Every structure is written in structure tokens, then in C-alpha cells.
Amino acid sequence: MTDHTVELFVLKCAVIETGLRATLAEFDTGSSGALSQADNEQLEPFIKQFDLANRKNAAHMSRYYEIFYLLENDIRRLIVETMEAAHGPKWWDTCVPAGVLEEVRKNREREAQAAVSVRSEDDIDYTTFRQLGDIIRANWSDFAGMLSNQSAVSRVMSALNMLRGTIAHCGVLAEDEVDRLKLAIRDWFRVLEGPKS
């Protein structure tokens, strides 16, 4: 091998490494990647003024919030895709239980009266795990081939809904509740394995 070949190899590796680091940075979900550098710099002086115990709890709970965010939105996506495929784009108006429609209407109305930015144009984004379970159960024939069974769906959604309150309202999950969360997530993925013969 000549010096030129070695130099060329090292340069190619450096280019590949730079590209890989840039790609990985795009998908980095670490806590420092959540805010832009400018936002971090602007907020840091305020964050430092909060109680240390609360800052530690916030850092600890951020991972559970992330898991809930991913799980809840993935379930919403599953419902939307399944229902649109079965009933078309107007499925919300014809297939969602009346109680869910009413709760979503109230949530949207409260948000509008508070004069805050609209969280979403999609009604399903105003639902809880319990309501998502209600939609699935009310349309079980559309989900029966992909989810294991109704009672498992009900149990998992109920467990997730109970845990959601602590996370969504800035509480701290006790250690046994963390275990319950892990089990509920595992159970959801078992439900997704579909019916057993």
C-alpha cells in the first residue's frame, strides 16, 4: 500500500464518519436534542432557578413522557389508518361512539375558549387511551384480524390511561408504577401480535 492509498482511505473514512454523525444527529432523541441550541440558551437561566429535586424528577420523567407520546400517537395512527381503509376519510363522523365525540367536542371547545394555539386539526388528537379503546371496541370487526382480542385491548388501554394521568400532569411514577408501565407496553405489543389460533 502506498502513502497515497492510505491517505485516500483515511479521507474516505472521515467523510463517511461525518455523514454518519450528521445522520445520527437528525434522529437523536436525547434530552439535549429536544430544544434548539438557541432555545436551550434562552431557557437555561430560568431552568437553573427551579428546585434541584424538581429538575431531577423532570429529567427522570422525561423518558416516560417520551414513551407515552410515542405509544399514544402510534395507536392513534393505527386507528386512523385502519378506519380510513375500512370506511373512508369521513370515518370519524360515522364510526366513533357518541361519548367520545362529545368529549372531543368539549376538549376542543375548552381549548378554543382558552385562546391557545390549536393543538391539532384532527379530532383523534383530543382523545385519551380510554377513548381510543372505546373506538377500537366499537369497531371491533375492523380490528379483529390485527389485534389479539377485545378484553386484552380493554385491559391494556385501561392500564395505560391510569398511568397517563401521572405522566401528563407532571407527577412522578413510583417504582411499582414504572414496572406497571413496562408491563402495559409489553402487553400492548402482545395485543398487536394479533389473534392466536
Side-chain angles (χ1 to χ4, degrees):
M1 234 187 228
T2 65
D3 288 343
H4 178 70
T5 306
V6 172
E7 276 181 8
L8 190 57
F9 175 76
V10 169
L11 285 172
K12 283 183 180 179
C13 287
V15 168
I16 291 169
E17 181 184 10
T18 301
L20 183 59
R21 285 183 191 275
T23 301
L24 289 174
E26 279 182 50
F27 296 101
D28 181 20
T29 59
S31 59
S32 63
L35 296 174
S36 70
Q37 179 80 18
D39 285 342
N40 259 339
E41 289 171 5
Q42 288 177 347
L43 292 173
E44 192 59 33
F46 301 111
I47 291 171
K48 287 181 178 179
Q49 294 179 49
F50 289 109
D51 178 71
L52 180 60
N54 278 338
R55 286 188 282 153
K56 285 182 178 179
N57 284 337
H60 172 72
M61 289 301 296
S62 67
R63 188 63 174 164
Y64 302 120
Y65 172 81
E66 181 181 7
I67 290 167
F68 260 77
Y69 179 93
L70 295 168
L71 184 60
E72 194 168 320
N73 284 295
D74 199 57
I75 293 170
R76 286 181 178 132
R77 181 190 52 77
L78 172 73
I79 291 171
V80 169
E81 289 176 358
T82 301
M83 296 302 290
E84 281 184 356
H87 303 279
K90 300 289 186 191
W91 69 272
W92 181 265
D93 301 321
T94 58
C95 300
V96 174
V100 174
L101 290 172
E102 180 61 16
E103 284 300 311
V104 166
R105 186 194 63 74
K106 287 178 185 175
N107 288 341
R108 288 186 80 111
E109 193 174 283
R110 272 192 295 271
E111 208 170 83
Q113 290 172 354
V116 296
S117 298
V118 175
R119 100 174 67 160
S120 175
E121 294 300 322
D122 298 322
D123 286 327
I124 198 163
D125 290 335
Y126 290 83
T127 56
T128 63
F129 281 110
R130 180 184 55 78
Q131 294 159 344
L132 294 172
D134 290 346
I135 294 169
I136 291 171
R137 283 188 301 278
N139 297 280
W140 183 249
S141 60
D142 299 315
F143 294 93
M146 69 178 76
L147 303 178
S148 60
N149 63 71
Q150 283 192 60
S151 61
V153 169
S154 294
R155 191 180 57 74
V156 171
M157 294 303 238
S158 178
L160 290 169
N161 203 54
M162 292 297 292
L163 291 164
R164 183 186 194 271
T166 303
I167 294 168
H169 297 286
C170 301
V172 177
L173 285 177
E175 206 50 48
D176 57 337
E177 298 305 317
V178 170
D179 293 338
R180 201 178 318 274
L181 171 60
K182 291 174 184 173
L183 285 171
I185 291 168
R186 268 190 233 126
D187 289 346
W188 171 251
F189 282 99
R190 280 191 200 103
V191 165
L192 282 177
E193 290 174 3
K196 304 290 186 222
S197 328

